Structure formats: C-alpha cells, structure tokens
Amino acid sequence: GFAQRVLEAIVARSGVADPLMVRGQLMSGVTGNVTMQTNKAMWQLAEAARNDPQVADAILHGPDDDLAASVAAVPGGSAFASRLGAFLAEHGHRETHMDIATPTWGEDPGQVLRFVRSYLASRDATDPADQERAAAARRADVEREVRAGLDRSTVDRCIIRRLFGAALGAADDLAAHRDTMHYHWTAAFPVIRAMMREVGARLARAGALDGADDAFLLEIAELERLVEDPRPSKDLIARRRRAWEADRYGPWPVEIRYGDEVFEELPPRDAAAGRELRGIPGSPGVARGRVRIVRVPEAFGALREGDVLVAPLTNPVWTPLFAVAAAVVTDAGGILSHGARVARGDGIPAVMGVGDATTVLRDGEMVTVDGSRGTVVPDEG
C-alpha cells in the first residue's frame, strides 16, 4: 500500500496527461503471479480439449454432477483425463469457495471442467498469456513516459527517478507474493479436510452425527467433546445448517470483532449522480457490456463472453472467469485485492469496493465500466 501511494504521487509529479490511467497501468502486467500461472495452465487444458471435438462436446454438454466421468468415457477422453490429472496434481488443492467445508478441485474436478467449459463456449476469449504480455507492454510504455516526465528537473532526475524505480520494484514483488501466500496456505486444505471428514465419519457411526460433513458445522472444542463423549448432536447441526443457509448469500459483516459482527453503513447516494456507481479504481480502461451478477461459484456458468462480471467479492479461483468477462465490478475490495491485481494482469477494467453493485445493478442491463476513474454507469432507460 505504501509503495502504491508513492507511485501515485510520483505519477502526478511527472506531468503525464492521465495520471489515474497511468497509475493503473503501472500496477498491471506484473509477472510471476501464481494465480495467473494457474489460469494459464487451465487455458492450456481448455486448448487440449478444443483440439479433440469429442472431448470438447462432452465438456460442453455433459451433466454437471458427473462431468469428469462423462469426459473420460468418450474416445480420447483418457488422454485428456491424464492432462487433467497432471493439472490437479499441481493445483488440485485450490478451492472454489474459500471455505474448508467445501471440496477442493482435486476432490471435485468438475469445478475445473466448468471453467474449461466457459473457455470453450467463448469464441473470442483471450489466452491469459497473451493478456499478460499485452498488459506488460502497456506498462513498459507508461513507465518510459513517467521517466521522461521526471527528466525535466535536476531534483526529479537525480532523486525522484530513483525513488520511482524502488517503489515500482517493491510494488511488483509484493503484488506477486500476495497470491503466493494464499496459494501455499491452502495447500493444507486437502489434509485438514481428510482429517475432519474421518472424525465426522467416526462420529456418524457412533450415532452422534448424520454424516461425515456434519463435522464442519461444529467448533473444534465441540468436536473434541464429541470424540470423548459421542452423544447425539443432530438438533445442533440442524440449527447450524439453517443459519448457514440463511447467511451464505449475505449481507456479510466487514469484520468480526471479538465475536460481534460489524456491518458497513453505506453513505446515501448522491441524487445528482443518478444511477452512476462509484468505487475504487482497480484496473485501468473502459469497457461496455451486459451486467451478469454472480454471487456464488455455483452461478459461474451464467457468465457469457463480453459480460460485465458483478460480484460481492472474488477470490483467486474466480479469476479464470476474467478471460471471458469484459470488466469486473465488486461490492468489496480495493486496488490491492486479488481481483484488481488479476484484472490488471488480464488487461480488463475493474472497479472495486462499490458497496452495493450487486443490489443496485440489474442483471442483463448494459453498463459502461471505467476502471481508471472507478465509475460504473448504466445505460439510460
């Protein structure tokens, strides 16, 4: 965050024509992001499917509940299944929900194949590697522009240019490592899930739970007590499940402080601005497209090529959708959130932290997203 603020001040000092756009482009095209690497590997998986019409047809039209088996059953499916297995051996610990209670990609490969389906269904979707290279080229151009602007005075040339290089390098390194932390931390998910489900299965055999996955609705201390004294807890599980169903679609607290949920109070909208929404500039550029509101990963399939993805928030495993979307708008997040960083890597506009985009915007309406200025403007009428 400090490096980003230094960059913002130096860009304004350099005298470039559009500081907001240049600031966003300087934070784009950063290579070495593990989420982008995963997305590129998934794209290669989609290309392998595209080259085999029977495999591609099975992915596009197979049943969601057993997609992997349907693909493996067609001629050529075993070769593709081997490629999918290699992908999952490296990235299978990833999670569509950032929640220990939900299956990882390795447990449910259908999650990966549904992303592949989105790539196959989009005729003009862009290879993430090409998007990354284009963003890096734009970044190099504006970096030269800023450096040229800092050549106008001795102080800028001798001191500020050096500070600019240091801030840019720090922003590069830290932006790439933000996702690296998440990627390696979630490598523990498959192990922890296996342990939790084994405990749950034993408690189910003892009559305390209905099934192995009920263990995820208990606190650790409650599980420990049940292991020692496996008394029936099905009423408690039923109450927790009802609460989870009620809460899963929000609204969500901005933080939980000492067990108390703290909700954000959104400021009243400016009547003069009409239906224009304002948020945090996340990734530069302007795009126009049809709103597609996606609140949960189960709705990923609703996104179509050229849509504006509107979501409460995104986590790293949402980002394969960015190759299909024209732009991204989120209720939560900022310029350093993973959605903003990957949008910059993909070269698509993003506006973050709007607050209520998923409730104010209407599914299917046309909007113009300006990721440099942080605005989302619905068409009139």
Side-chain angles (χ1 to χ4, degrees), residues 46-378:
E47 288 297 282
R50 198 187 304 276
N51 291 332
D52 188 320
Q54 290 179 300
V55 170
D57 185 70
I59 294 173
L60 285 168
H61 303 111
D64 278 0
D65 58 351
D66 200 10
L67 193 52
S70 298
V71 173
V74 303
S78 58
F80 180 82
S82 295
R83 291 193 66 134
L84 176 61
F87 175 87
L88 294 173
E90 185 170 1
H91 306 294
H93 63 276
R94 302 245 68 175
E95 77 299 348
T96 300
H97 295 271
M98 194 174 166
D99 189 334
I100 197 72
T102 57
T104 62
W105 287 356
E107 292 176 80
D108 177 16
Q111 298 176 76
V112 174
L113 293 175
R114 285 189 285 275
F115 280 128
V116 171
R117 176 189 285 169
S118 296
Y119 286 162
L120 294 175
S122 302
R123 292 188 299 271
D124 297 325
T126 306
D127 185 337
D130 292 338
Q131 292 176 316
E132 187 178 56
R133 283 190 289 269
R138 288 192 297 270
R139 181 179 186 276
D141 288 341
V142 297
E143 182 181 345
R144 284 191 290 271
E145 184 181 355
V146 171
R147 290 185 185 278
L150 295 174
D151 276 341
R152 291 175 302 179
S153 76
T154 302
V155 171
D156 286 351
R157 187 167 53 252
C158 297
I159 298 175
I160 304 300
R161 270 182 62 121
R162 292 184 180 180
L163 183 59
F164 172 67
L168 194 60
D172 285 357
D173 290 341
L174 297 172
H177 289 316
R178 169 62 179 82
D179 278 3
T180 303
M181 175 197 70
H182 179 108
Y183 181 87
H184 290 295
W185 181 69
T186 55
F189 273 28
V191 178
I192 298 172
R193 276 185 51 78
M195 294 166 59
M196 291 282 289
R197 297 191 82 250
E198 177 62 24
V199 171
R202 295 185 186 191
L203 289 172
R205 288 195 294 271
L209 305 178
D210 281 332
D213 284 346
D214 285 353
F216 294 110
L217 289 164
L218 294 170
E219 297 175 3
I220 295 297
E222 291 170 335
L223 270 176
E224 290 174 342
R225 286 195 295 270
L226 276 185
V227 168
E228 297 297 326
D229 180 15
R231 64 183 61 188
S233 301
K234 296 174 185 179
D235 289 345
L236 172 62
I237 294 295
R239 290 197 303 272
R240 294 271 172 85
R241 195 175 298 282
R242 286 194 297 269
W244 177 76
E245 289 287 355
D247 289 344
R248 66 182 301 202
Y249 298 118
W252 301 288
V254 292
E255 65 176 307
I256 298 175
R257 187 183 301 152
Y258 304 113
D260 296 325
E261 296 178 345
V262 180
F263 289 86
E264 182 177 23
E265 290 290 334
L266 293 174
R269 290 203 168 275
D270 182 358
R275 292 189 64 231
E276 176 181 304
L277 281 68
R278 289 191 171 273
I280 298 169
S283 179
V286 178
R288 185 170 180 271
R290 197 171 301 280
V291 168
R292 192 63 58 204
I293 298 174
V294 179
R295 291 187 172 88
V296 292
E298 288 81 3
F300 282 174
L303 189 74
R304 295 291 180 265
E305 184 180 345
D307 285 348
V308 173
L309 172 61
V310 180
L313 54 103
T314 66
N315 70 36
V317 293
W318 287 55
T319 53
L321 297 177
F322 290 21
V324 178
V328 178
V329 178
T330 63
D331 290 342
I335 195 169
L336 298 180
S337 65
H338 96 88
R341 292 194 312 277
V342 177
R344 292 193 294 269
D346 282 345
I348 62 172
V351 177
M352 325 304 290
V354 174
D356 53 0
T358 55
T359 55
V360 173
L361 295 176
R362 297 188 292 265
D363 206 52
E365 72 175 321
M366 297 297 295
V367 296
T368 299
V369 179
D370 187 333
S372 302
R373 288 159 182 77
T375 60
V376 183
V377 183

